Amino acid sequence: MKKIFLTIATAALFTVNAFADGGKKSDGGTNVSYIALHGFTADFADATDVTWTVTKNTQKATFTVDGVQKTAFYNLQGEFLGTTQRVDNKAIPAKALAQINKEYKGYNVGEVIVYQANTEINDSIEPTSYFVDLKSDNHEVLVRITQQANIEFFQQVK
């Protein structure tokens, strides 16, 4: 499950603006499992501009609800894993922002993605995590902010 979570978080950060064309896509559900399609339709009835992408690890639906672009992730069995959406850096808890400023001096906050996990299928995962892209002149890193506003190094990007 940790591998799926890592995949989701990484994919979310890099696919917010331009969603990859490399996976199988189907707006009609040809390559998307019936369970995922049915669950998505029930959970996101007001969604518009829905685009599905199927990879070797996940099925994801990119869509708009109330003017906000989101991505819903499902495993290959069609179970709902969670959603991501881009948020303003003001959504970062103040305690975490202070820690970022202390531990990552010289870095600027780039994109911020909030991940809302489905804890019903995995109660050991945190319900809400923020993924923050931090950039300096020479480096770029991805950190995760936990529910308790702790900072965890997630991935070296550059």
Side-chain angles (χ1 to χ4, degrees):
M1 188 64 175
K2 186 176 180 180
K3 187 175 183 180
I4 289 174
F5 177 73
L6 295 176
T7 302
I8 289 170
T10 303
L13 181 68
F14 297 110
T15 60
V16 145
N17 291 327
F19 293 88
D21 290 329
K24 300 175 188 174
K25 286 187 178 179
S26 174
D27 292 328
T30 306
N31 299 312
V32 179
S33 74
Y34 171 79
I35 295 170
L37 280 171
H38 181 70
F40 177 82
T41 302
D43 292 339
F44 303 100
D46 296 335
T48 60
D49 304 320
V50 180
T51 303
W52 284 91
T53 304
V54 178
T55 68
K56 65 180 183 174
N57 296 322
T58 61
Q59 304 174 84
K60 72 177 183 177
T62 304
F63 59 99
T64 303
V65 167
D66 298 327
V68 177
Q69 188 174 28
K70 296 184 177 194
T71 302
F73 291 88
Y74 297 82
N75 64 19
L76 296 179
Q77 292 73 41
E79 295 173 309
F80 176 63
L81 300 173
T83 60
T84 61
Q85 77 179 59
R86 182 188 214 169
V87 295
D88 190 82
N89 62 7
K90 293 176 184 169
I92 299 171
K95 176 183 171 187
L97 194 53
Q99 188 177 349
I100 287 172
N101 290 333
K102 180 180 176 184
E103 293 181 23
Y104 292 93
K105 286 185 180 184
Y107 284 80
N108 295 313
V109 174
E111 287 186 318
V112 179
I113 303 287
V114 62
Y115 176 65
Q116 299 287 329
N118 178 8
T119 56
E120 290 178 15
I121 65 168
N122 181 2
D123 62 1
S124 67
I125 194 168
E126 295 206 25
T128 303
S129 296
Y130 294 89
F131 291 87
V132 182
D133 184 43
L134 300 174
K135 298 176 184 180
S136 72
D137 291 337
N138 300 324
H139 296 96
E140 184 174 357
V141 296
L142 183 62
V143 296
R144 181 172 87 93
I145 301 173
T146 66
Q147 190 86 18
Q148 296 77 28
N150 295 320
I151 305 295
E152 298 175 351
F153 175 81
F154 187 74
Q155 179 180 5
Q156 182 78 35
V157 178
K158 173 178 137 184

